[in-house]
Amino acid sequence: MIEPDVCDLPGIVERWGKDPANMVQILRDVQESCGTIPSDTLDQLARLLGVPRVRIEATASFYHFFHAESHGAYEILFSDNIIDHMAGKEALKAYLCERLWLEPRKLSEDGLVYVDDTADIGLADQAPSMLVNGHAVPSLDQTRLDLVAELIRAKKPLADWPPMLFEIPDNIRLAGPLTGDPFAPGAALQATLARGSDATLAELDAANLRGRGGAGFKTATKWASCRKAEGEAHYVVCNADEGEPGTFKDRVLLNSHADLVFEGMTVCARVIGAKQGLIYLRGEYKNLLEKLQSVLARRREKGLLGNSILGEAGVDFDIEIHLGAGAYICGEESALIESLEGKPGKPRNRPPFPDRCGYRNQPTVVNNVETFACAARIAERGGAAFAALGTPQSTGSKLISVSGDCERPGIYEVPFGVTVQQILIDCGAEDAHAVQVSGPSGTCISYREFDRRIAFEDLPTAGAFMVFSRERDMFEVARNFTHFFAHESCGFCTPCRVGTSLLRNTMDKLAAGKGSAYDMNEMKNIMHILRGMAHCGLGHTAANPVVQTMEKFPDAYERRLKKLDFEPAFDLDGALQTARLITGRDDEWAHLAND
Amino acid sequence: MTEQPITIEPKKLRVATCSLAGCFGCHMSLLDIDEKLFDLLKVVEFDRSPITDIKHCGPCDIGIVEGGVCNAENVHVLKEFRKNCKVLVAMGACAITGGVPALRNNVDLWDCYQEVYHYGIGLENGQIPNDPELPLPFDRVHPINEVVRIDYFLPGCPPSADAIWKFLTDLAAGREPKLDYDMVHYD
Amino acid sequence: MTKTCTFTLDGKTIPFEEGETIMEAASAAGVYIPHLCHHPEFKPHGSCKLCTVNIGGRLGAACTNRAADGMKVESETEALNADRRALTQMLFVEGNHICPSCEKSGNCQLQAVAYHLGMMTPHFTHFYPARDIDASHPDVLIERNRCILCELCVRASRDVDGKNVFGIGGRGIKSRLIVNSASGRLADTNMSVTDRAAEVCPTGAILRKRHGFTVPIGKRLYDHQSIAEVPVAGMKEPRRD
């Protein structure tokens, strides 16, 4: 562990061009070298960057991975998706805490270790998993945790830990045009330069490529609109903030097919006239950073990035990688841009959309990792070849991240239009009872609907596919998701800030066996407010898991309802416990029956 | 024998009232109805209430509760009201939001006890009592709608006599209570 | 200058200039749409969501959505007011709003909007969050229990006072008003009682000291007059003496 006084603040600020827009990156580096972001650092940063301290503090206190107090030499964050729970996360976390003699959320007595939870870290195919000082460790079991505990007790620096702990296989179970076919770096770019920007846009249009982040906006329309928009500069931004629990396909694309993604970005740059690209990589994927940097370096060497790309004068473009710091909301494109500009990731008021007013208020294309990979393939092979796969409204292939109760979790690249049933057969999930398609914000479908299709016209998806067997309690699935949304709400708008917490609290009340029909009605009202009034997609969809499981698995709720009419909002007898302890009373009148 | 014309007295509404974690200010405001109280008594009769000194609530048409819930005894009283009253009304800021007593909600209960029994002015060798007769406090004060289902809310600290009068006469007449702008205030 | 474009708001024709929001055009025409984070002097924020209206079948904030020619907007509907009431209730339970002990009572916009919407109870389960009071500054008090995170003080300090005294820290339900000093105390910022930020708070979260309860009950801004009827809906500041 590096001592705090080694933190070279001026150096870090210099490295990020003394630009306050790079605040998230600066704070990441500060924390990396100091272990924390101490209060006085904020003042020093304010002086060095010439911005008010209050703005830096707003950013530093927004992101989950930043903290002012010490988390010791080893910060361990367990992935907290329902899939991790199903794989025994809670028991394993308790096991590790016991081995290390500590309590979660409390720095160990010797100031060495801190253990807590974090939202899904993109390893649902290798659950349970955790982050150690930001580095992912998958496939946890007692043996691996024994090893971790030993290494920590021996105070071994992370760099000296056995590499096998950090090995993350791709688990590609079914390959397709993106993941299976070879790609020669430069092929798509060459085709683009030869064809010209107009013709490339026409190919993209003919391909009918739609955004792979889940919303399905037509890519050609976005690029064309951005290209037309006036500005001092145009930007290409790749959204690699893959935060939707259960999704991990971008992790695999970036790990093994980064050239395809970067080339897609470069094709876009050529079309819209951008000189700079940014990839916003979620903080949880820090382990990919080095590899991605080396791919970028190689592409620069080969003349695929930098000035005069492929020898063509005036074709200049380069890509910078920005890391996130633990905020699901940054997957929303305008929040992502705010984060890229060094601010808390709160979604902007729209319109205007990023294609006209994005990064640094300039025209910006923001696309998903997979969308750029598809764009590269289209540039390389033409639109018709791409559209040959899939359905007319949903062309091409889709990477599905399969996890949960199945024999072969991993990546399945399927043609759009495939049924849920087919994927379940492929992954070996005979006992499937429900599938959460596209994560908590997506759609929960029951066994009665397995003939539905993965396609924008039926089940649109960003890629998550979490399988639940008959034994699983769908109420607990929904409850896990309400905790996720309450934790990840940015807090900007009233309905989402308050509504997600109310929803979480009510689900907890039901879980404690203290729910009533009144509470069910309350949740329906809150859902209505969230859907209609929230500021962005997070709030609009935050109630989906509850709405859908209530509708499709009513038994899971009904058997928890204590009374049909009304139950107190809090545990009456429990609320007397403090006074009982203080007074030493345990008489009849010192208790309240929770009837 | 000549037949007397039979006049049927309309059945009076039976009303119970109580003050939980409140200051009796709402009850004072109720008494502030002044001479109209006589009109009120033509249509209502009181069951348990500080006005009657009846200790337990019997079957009633309307229950009016002042004050929030701060201890175990409050819960017993509140549940008795809910059980016996067809319509239950939360009267005043404390019943509706916890009110001024809820200002203690972020003071540790141990600190409250210390202040009252150990460090209070004039205390010597103070001891924390453990008498079962004393209602045991909750760690927080709650509005009554967090403990039982409430049918109507009449805000104010206290609600004005006019508001209470309007509210009760509306209820007595079987109307949905409706208060003018001036009659609704939270303070 | 005459406005040539129009849209309808609850059936009433509202003229507007190109670029005006629904809120701006409605206010200019004397039509009130409930709001808390909006203030005509500052850049629209769109966070409280109270001004949500139905714009041709789609819900959107009136303060951030621009008016368009021929657009049909609904605001005063039973359903929208019920939703607005629920939002107001959320704001009440999220903080510690104890009106009887608040200096701003009677002049408070949160309270006045709640009156306007017929809120008889905060309804939802109270959070009773632990928030602090900052009385360090000689002339200005921060009572965070009453903060509704509208960011009007943030905008006023940044855009009018040019000081950046305020900001919002944290995330989600743990969001909180922060000030520009290492100690976290208002006294250690360059806040002045004459700042616009000192008077723009719609609730009692930022108060000028020694001015509490100066106006007797019955004479306060919203005692007899609904926030919808106060000239330039909700924007007139309470009389100071």
Side-chain angles (χ1 to χ4, degrees):
Chain A
M1 202 64 206
I2 305 160
E3 290 304 313
D5 55 279
V6 186
C7 185
D8 169 26
L9 230 40
I12 291 170
V13 168
E14 202 61 50
R15 191 153 71 238
W16 289 101
K18 277 200 159 181
D19 187 351
N22 292 327
M23 188 62 72
V24 176
Q25 306 313 302
I26 291 168
L27 290 170
R28 276 203 67 102
D29 285 358
V30 169
Q31 177 147 303
E32 195 114 328
S33 53
C34 305
T36 63
I37 303 177
S39 179
D40 59 336
T41 306
L42 300 182
D43 292 306
Q44 293 170 44
L45 282 175
R47 276 194 296 276
L48 287 166
L49 289 159
V51 291
R53 175 200 152 95
V54 75
R55 272 191 224 165
I56 306 176
E57 190 180 343
T59 299
S61 59
F62 181 85
Y63 295 90
H64 183 51
F65 291 169
F66 295 154
H67 40 84
E69 64 298 332
S70 171
H71 283 185
Y74 302 97
E75 181 202 52
I76 296 180
L77 301 175
F78 278 83
S79 179
D80 195 41
N81 186 9
I82 186 70
I83 301 295
D84 298 292
H85 282 258
M86 283 156 49
K89 171 238 162 187
E90 280 302 321
L92 285 169
K93 183 173 136 193
Y95 178 76
L96 181 69
C97 288
E98 199 181 307
R99 294 284 324 249
L100 293 169
W101 283 79
L102 56 82
E103 276 176 61
R105 287 166 162 264
K106 225 174 125 186
L107 186 63
S108 62
E109 299 274 325
D110 53 4
L112 193 65
V113 206
Y114 179 89
V115 175
D116 196 2
D117 289 340
T118 193
D120 184 297
I121 63 171
L123 285 165
D125 57 333
Q126 297 159 58
S129 57
M130 66 184 189
L131 297 172
V132 183
N133 293 352
H135 290 273
V137 180
S139 305
L140 299 177
D141 56 22
Q142 288 200 357
T143 323
R144 280 163 78 84
L145 289 180
D146 283 338
L147 177 58
V148 167
E150 264 171 54
L151 290 162
I152 287 175
R153 276 201 300 251
K155 299 185 184 171
K156 264 243 162 105
L158 209 61
D160 299 339
W161 286 23
M164 64 92 173
L165 275 175
F166 305 102
E167 270 166 26
I168 296 170
D170 281 348
N171 286 340
I172 296 175
R173 310 287 184 178
L174 188 67
L178 296 183
T179 53
D181 300 356
F183 177 71
L189 260 175
Q190 246 148 11
T192 304
L193 292 181
R195 201 188 279 125
S197 294
D198 289 321
T200 303
L201 256 184
E203 289 299 327
L204 210 62
D205 189 42
N208 195 22
L209 173 62
R210 294 170 70 176
R212 284 345 192 204
F217 193 78
K218 202 168 161 179
T219 309
T221 311
K222 192 186 268 186
W223 289 18
S225 158
C226 180
R227 182 190 194 199
K228 237 180 19 210
E230 279 174 32
E232 290 154 23
H234 286 59
Y235 294 97
V236 179
V237 171
C238 175
N239 183 346
D241 192 52
E242 186 177 47
E244 191 72 44
T247 317
F248 47 85
K249 46 110 187 159
D250 294 343
R251 178 198 92 210
V252 172
L253 277 175
L254 292 169
N255 187 45
S256 301
H257 306 278
D259 264 309
L260 207 54
V261 179
F262 292 147
E263 191 132 339
M265 290 176 72
T266 317
V267 168
C268 176
R270 175 63 180 159
V271 169
I272 67 165
K275 303 247 178 268
Q276 199 196 334
L278 294 131
I279 173 160
Y280 189 90
L281 183 67
R282 70 185 302 220
E284 291 82 345
Y285 289 174
K286 187 171 86 170
N287 53 327
L288 292 172
L289 183 62
E290 235 174 90
K291 193 165 185 178
L292 291 173
Q293 297 285 21
S294 72
V295 175
L296 288 176
R298 200 175 60 226
R299 289 181 69 83
R300 284 183 199 111
E301 277 165 32
K302 285 190 182 170
L304 298 174
L305 277 179
N307 290 335
S308 306
I309 288 172
L310 287 173
E312 199 134 326
V315 185
D316 310 329
F317 180 66
D318 213 324
I319 296 172
E320 194 173 278
I321 303 175
H322 278 225
L323 272 170
Y328 164 74
I329 187 59
C330 290
E332 196 279 343
E333 60 177 11
S334 67
L336 184 148
I337 290 169
E338 288 284 294
S339 186
L340 279 176
E341 293 180 359
K343 294 177 259 181
K346 299 184 184 181
R348 292 177 175 176
N349 283 307
R350 296 173 302 162
F353 291 93
D355 57 350
R356 276 180 46 219
C357 182
Y359 180 61
R360 295 177 192 265
N361 294 328
Q362 299 303 316
T364 305
V365 160
V366 185
N367 273 141
N368 181 263
V369 170
E370 190 180 349
T371 313
F372 281 123
C374 290
R377 279 293 186 218
I378 293 164
E380 179 198 9
R381 297 172 174 178
F386 183 87
L389 209 60
T391 75
Q393 288 173 67
S394 312
T395 51
S397 67
K398 181 78 194 92
L399 264 63
I400 304 292
S401 319
V402 178
S403 65
D405 294 317
C406 64
E407 277 166 36
R408 295 174 293 279
I411 295 293
Y412 292 75
E413 187 176 352
V414 296
F416 263 118
V418 70
T419 61
V420 169
Q421 186 66 56
Q422 186 58 51
I423 299 174
L424 289 171
I425 293 169
D426 290 345
C427 71
E430 275 101 60
D431 198 25
H433 193 59
V435 179
Q436 186 74 27
V437 177
S438 203
S441 72
T443 318
C444 176
I445 60 165
S446 82
Y447 55 92
R448 298 179 200 90
E449 313 164 80
F450 285 172
D451 56 342
R452 290 181 65 179
R453 292 173 188 281
I454 300 291
F456 294 109
E457 59 270 31
D458 187 1
L459 287 170
T461 180
F465 192 97
M466 296 186 264
V467 184
F468 304 101
S469 75
R470 209 171 305 277
E471 285 82 57
R472 302 298 177 190
D473 183 347
M474 293 311 288
F475 170 86
E476 280 301 329
V477 173
R479 189 164 80 94
N480 175 267
F481 295 163
T482 59
H483 276 253
F484 168 74
F485 284 121
H487 186 259
E488 297 301 330
S489 169
C490 80
F492 175 78
C493 75
T494 311
C496 182
R497 184 178 67 242
V498 187
T500 54
S501 282
L502 286 171
L503 212 53
R504 175 199 59 200
N505 295 349
T506 312
M507 288 295 276
D508 284 353
K509 187 184 174 201
L510 261 68
K514 299 189 187 303
S516 69
Y518 177 90
D519 298 306
M520 297 284 280
N521 255 329
E522 282 296 289
M523 289 205 288
K524 283 179 194 155
N525 289 338
I526 296 164
M527 290 164 201
H528 167 77
I529 301 289
L530 276 168
R531 278 187 174 172
M533 311 283 239
H535 184 63
C536 77
L538 189 153
H540 292 147
T541 57
N544 282 2
V546 181
V547 182
Q548 294 168 357
T549 49
M550 250 189 205
E551 183 190 310
K552 293 174 186 182
F553 303 96
D555 294 356
Y557 287 80
E558 275 157 22
R559 64 190 165 79
R560 285 193 157 78
L561 301 187
K562 191 170 177 205
K563 270 194 183 168
L564 283 179
D565 183 42
F566 185 92
E567 267 294 299
F570 60 101
D571 174 5
L572 298 178
D573 191 59
L576 291 170
Q577 179 61 16
T578 318
R580 277 196 296 264
L581 285 174
I582 293 172
T583 58
R585 280 176 56 183
D586 198 25
D587 54 89
E588 180 194 350
W589 295 98
H591 287 275
L592 278 170
N594 286 314
D595 51 10
Chain B
M1 199 166 101
T2 53
E3 287 207 15
Q4 292 285 325
I6 303 165
T7 54
I8 302 169
E9 279 275 309
K11 193 178 171 297
K12 283 186 177 179
L13 286 173
R14 205 165 167 82
V15 177
T17 76
C18 68
S19 179
L20 306 177
C23 69
F24 281 90
C26 295
H27 276 84
M28 299 310 290
S29 197
L30 175 68
L31 294 178
D32 254 354
I33 295 178
D34 292 342
E35 76 280 4
K36 276 187 286 191
L37 267 176
F38 295 107
D39 297 332
L40 187 66
L41 286 171
K42 284 178 193 155
V43 287
V44 307
E45 59 187 6
F46 283 95
D47 191 280
R48 170 181 169 154
S49 167
I51 301 167
T52 61
D53 215 24
I54 297 171
K55 299 298 182 203
H56 285 282
C57 171
C60 285
D61 298 293
I62 302 169
I64 300 174
V65 181
E66 171 192 341
V69 174
C70 79
N71 61 35
E73 191 211 16
N74 291 161
V75 172
H76 292 298
V77 175
L78 185 57
K79 285 192 169 177
E80 185 180 282
F81 266 65
R82 180 67 279 181
K83 212 171 102 192
N84 286 294
C85 302
K86 286 184 204 149
V87 170
L88 197 57
V89 182
M91 174 166 68
C94 303
I96 295 172
T97 71
V100 171
L103 283 170
R104 82 148 157 100
N105 280 357
N106 284 300
V107 181
D108 193 83
L109 195 56
W110 173 240
D111 292 337
C112 293
Y113 266 101
Q114 294 259 53
E115 184 62 31
V116 173
Y117 294 109
H118 286 159
Y119 303 137
I121 295 165
L123 281 180
E124 267 177 62
N125 302 321
Q127 278 184 14
I128 290 174
N130 61 359
D131 189 337
E133 293 258 311
L134 293 172
L136 198 66
F138 284 128
D139 35 23
R140 285 179 159 187
V141 179
H142 295 265
I144 61 171
N145 67 310
E146 292 184 10
V147 177
V148 298
R149 197 194 271 274
I150 299 299
D151 303 300
Y152 292 102
F153 297 86
L154 176 56
C157 185
S160 67
D162 287 348
I164 298 173
W165 168 253
K166 176 73 166 59
F167 186 87
L168 286 179
T169 46
D170 276 354
L171 266 190
R175 286 190 299 263
E176 191 65 16
K178 199 164 165 26
L179 302 179
D180 294 342
Y181 181 85
D182 282 23
M183 289 184 183
V184 177
H185 54 90
Y186 303 155
D187 59 356
Chain C
M1 180 176 160
T2 51
K3 300 179 178 182
T4 49
C5 304
T6 60
F7 66 97
T8 63
L9 180 57
D10 295 324
K12 187 182 171 187
T13 303
I14 308 281
F16 71 94
E17 278 171 49
E18 196 63 43
E20 264 187 327
T21 61
I22 296 170
M23 177 71 83
E24 286 161 350
S27 299
V31 179
Y32 174 71
I33 300 173
H35 58 266
L36 283 168
C37 71
H38 174 73
H39 191 298
E41 285 174 39
F42 304 105
K43 206 179 137 203
H45 197 239
S47 65
C48 78
K49 299 297 173 196
L50 241 74
C51 71
T52 302
V53 288
N54 189 322
I55 310 165
R58 175 181 67 83
L59 295 181
C63 70
T64 56
N65 277 276
R66 295 218 171 140
D69 207 19
M71 174 188 259
K72 276 197 174 59
V73 181
E74 286 182 348
S75 173
E76 280 302 311
T77 69
E78 201 55 47
L80 278 170
N81 277 332
D83 291 352
R84 289 171 182 149
R85 192 156 54 238
L87 289 179
T88 312
Q89 290 168 326
M90 285 182 177
L91 288 171
F92 266 84
V93 298
E94 165 190 40
N96 295 306
H97 296 279
I98 301 179
C99 299
S101 64
C102 179
E103 302 88 326
K104 196 66 175 270
S105 194
N107 297 314
C108 167
Q109 289 177 36
L110 174 66
Q111 194 186 54
V113 161
Y115 291 163
H116 173 76
L117 295 167
M119 185 189 106
M120 301 297 271
T121 160
H123 178 80
F124 298 111
T125 303
H126 282 73
F127 287 74
Y128 294 126
R131 296 191 189 167
D132 58 7
I133 297 170
D134 181 349
S136 63
H137 193 281
D139 303 314
V140 181
L141 176 82
I142 303 182
E143 223 299 17
R144 289 190 171 84
N145 291 294
R146 304 165 184 165
C147 177
I148 56 167
L149 303 161
C150 68
E151 296 193 34
L152 273 169
C153 58
V154 179
R155 285 177 275 168
S157 184
R158 182 189 63 208
D159 302 340
V160 178
D161 306 327
K163 284 188 178 179
N164 290 294
V165 169
F166 297 102
I168 301 297
R171 174 166 103 190
I173 197 69
K174 292 180 180 159
S175 301
R176 62 188 188 276
L177 184 65
I178 56 173
V179 299
N180 195 26
S181 68
S183 64
R185 287 163 16 117
L186 189 63
D188 298 327
T189 69
N190 55 350
M191 176 88 189
S192 149
V193 71
T194 54
D195 285 356
R196 188 77 181 95
E199 56 181 17
V200 80
C201 180
T203 75
I206 298 175
L207 294 166
R208 300 191 308 153
K209 285 186 175 178
R210 298 174 295 278
H211 288 267
F213 308 111
T214 46
V215 183
I217 292 177
K219 296 251 161 75
R220 300 169 306 180
L221 191 57
Y222 303 115
D223 277 342
H224 305 291
Q225 210 177 6
S226 157
I227 192 167
E229 294 152 8
V230 177
V232 198
M235 290 309 147
K236 199 181 120 190
E237 285 299 314
R239 191 161 53 86
R240 293 199 191 80
D241 24 25

